[in-house]
Amino acid sequence: SGVVLTLDAKDSSSGVSSTRYRVNGGAWVTGTTTSVSTPGKYVFEYYSLDVAGNQETVHLYTLRIDTTAPGAPQGVVAEPSGWQHTNNFRLQWDEPLDDSGIAGIYVRFDSAPTGPTDGTFYPAHEILNGLQVPREWKLSVWVWLQDNAGNTDESTAVALTDALCYDATPPATAVTLTGTKGGSGWYVGPISFAMSATDGGSGPDVIRYRIDAGQWVESNGFLMSSDGSHEVEISAIDIAGNVEPTQTF
């Protein structure tokens, strides 16, 4: 729909004789109403005359019309890739040309938008830092743009499937000790340690152990045969980098 410009002149003495206007430097037109509908920039100049012949100072009014939603963001990338244990992601994209310019981007997780504002709006340009996902796991994301005139169209949304992978929960290691027990908590022979890690998110990466605060060793099991009292620490790390709280034996 078009934009209607109405000029309302007043004069408390001799009264208004006429009002004139022109658009974008064109010919002067006598009248008080005009309309424009084509997208673009319009510069209106206008003034009035009273019956006594006095002319008002010429006024300027600039009007911009943009009725078209921006096109789809181009080259959308979600970073960092792969599993992350911190909820801090980044989106990057290239913006298409738009009459009024791009105001920002809408973001929606898990499912496609069903309306033009069916997401969270961020006033960002070609990069959005500090994006947080609503929960742990692999999340798909839809993104689309809004321009400075307020136009937006969810049908232009770009989908990134399983693009943001968040896991903040450490793995858990089950430890099985096998050996011949003596008295007072002592073993009277070698002790076999068998470890198995589980992780409901990114999955276990490594299991490690160390003896008497020595160097960490990656292994699913080991045999302890040296005499004496020893401290064994066991901890797993998942693919996202979450470290299990150390178990001590």
Side-chain angles (χ1 to χ4, degrees):
S1 61
V3 176
V4 177
L5 181 69
T6 300
L7 303 173
D8 183 16
K10 291 181 173 59
D11 186 273
S12 59
S13 297
S14 59
V16 176
S17 171
S18 62
T19 298
R20 306 186 73 197
Y21 67 87
R22 67 178 181 178
V23 182
N24 292 341
W28 288 99
V29 178
T30 299
T32 58
T33 302
T34 186
S35 65
V36 290
S37 59
T38 303
K41 177 182 177 180
Y42 299 89
V43 178
F44 291 90
E45 297 173 85
Y46 59 93
Y47 68 91
S48 293
L49 293 165
D50 65 15
V51 174
N54 299 301
Q55 178 179 316
E56 177 186 15
T57 301
V58 175
H59 298 281
L60 292 176
Y61 178 74
T62 301
L63 174 67
R64 294 175 174 85
I65 298 178
D66 177 7
T67 60
T68 304
Q74 304 297 309
V76 183
V77 176
E79 297 175 324
S81 61
W83 285 99
Q84 306 299 318
H85 64 271
T86 55
N87 195 358
N88 186 359
F89 294 89
R90 177 174 61 254
L91 295 175
Q92 294 192 79
W93 65 93
D94 293 324
E95 295 179 349
L97 294 175
D98 185 87
D99 287 340
S100 60
I102 302 300
I105 192 166
Y106 276 97
V107 177
R108 179 177 171 82
F109 297 104
D110 293 324
S111 61
T114 59
T117 60
D118 186 22
T120 301
F121 179 74
Y122 298 90
H125 296 280
E126 299 198 331
I127 185 168
L128 173 59
N129 290 307
L131 179 66
Q132 293 189 326
V133 299
R135 57 186 173 83
E136 296 183 43
W137 194 235
K138 296 180 180 179
L139 278 82
S140 298
V141 61
W142 281 257
V143 294
W144 66 104
L145 300 172
Q146 177 175 301
D147 64 21
N148 286 308
N151 300 303
T152 184
D153 181 0
E154 78 280 6
S155 71
T156 65
V158 173
L160 300 178
T161 304
D162 294 342
L164 303 175
C165 304
Y166 175 47
D167 175 12
T169 303
T173 304
V175 182
T176 302
L177 279 66
T178 304
T180 303
K181 287 186 176 182
S184 302
W186 286 84
Y187 284 81
V188 296
I191 308 170
S192 173
F193 284 76
M195 295 94 78
S196 176
T198 57
D199 186 88
S202 57
D205 184 18
V206 298
I207 302 173
R208 59 184 187 165
Y209 73 91
R210 68 178 180 178
I211 302 172
D212 297 332
Q215 295 295 318
W216 286 102
V217 178
E218 295 181 2
S219 177
N220 293 331
F222 63 96
L223 184 69
M224 176 180 288
S225 58
S226 59
D227 288 346
S229 177
H230 301 281
E231 182 178 80
V232 176
E233 296 172 275
I234 296 174
S235 174
I237 303 173
D238 66 17
I239 294 172
N242 297 297
V243 179
E244 175 188 19
T246 300
Q247 300 184 55
T248 304
F249 298 86

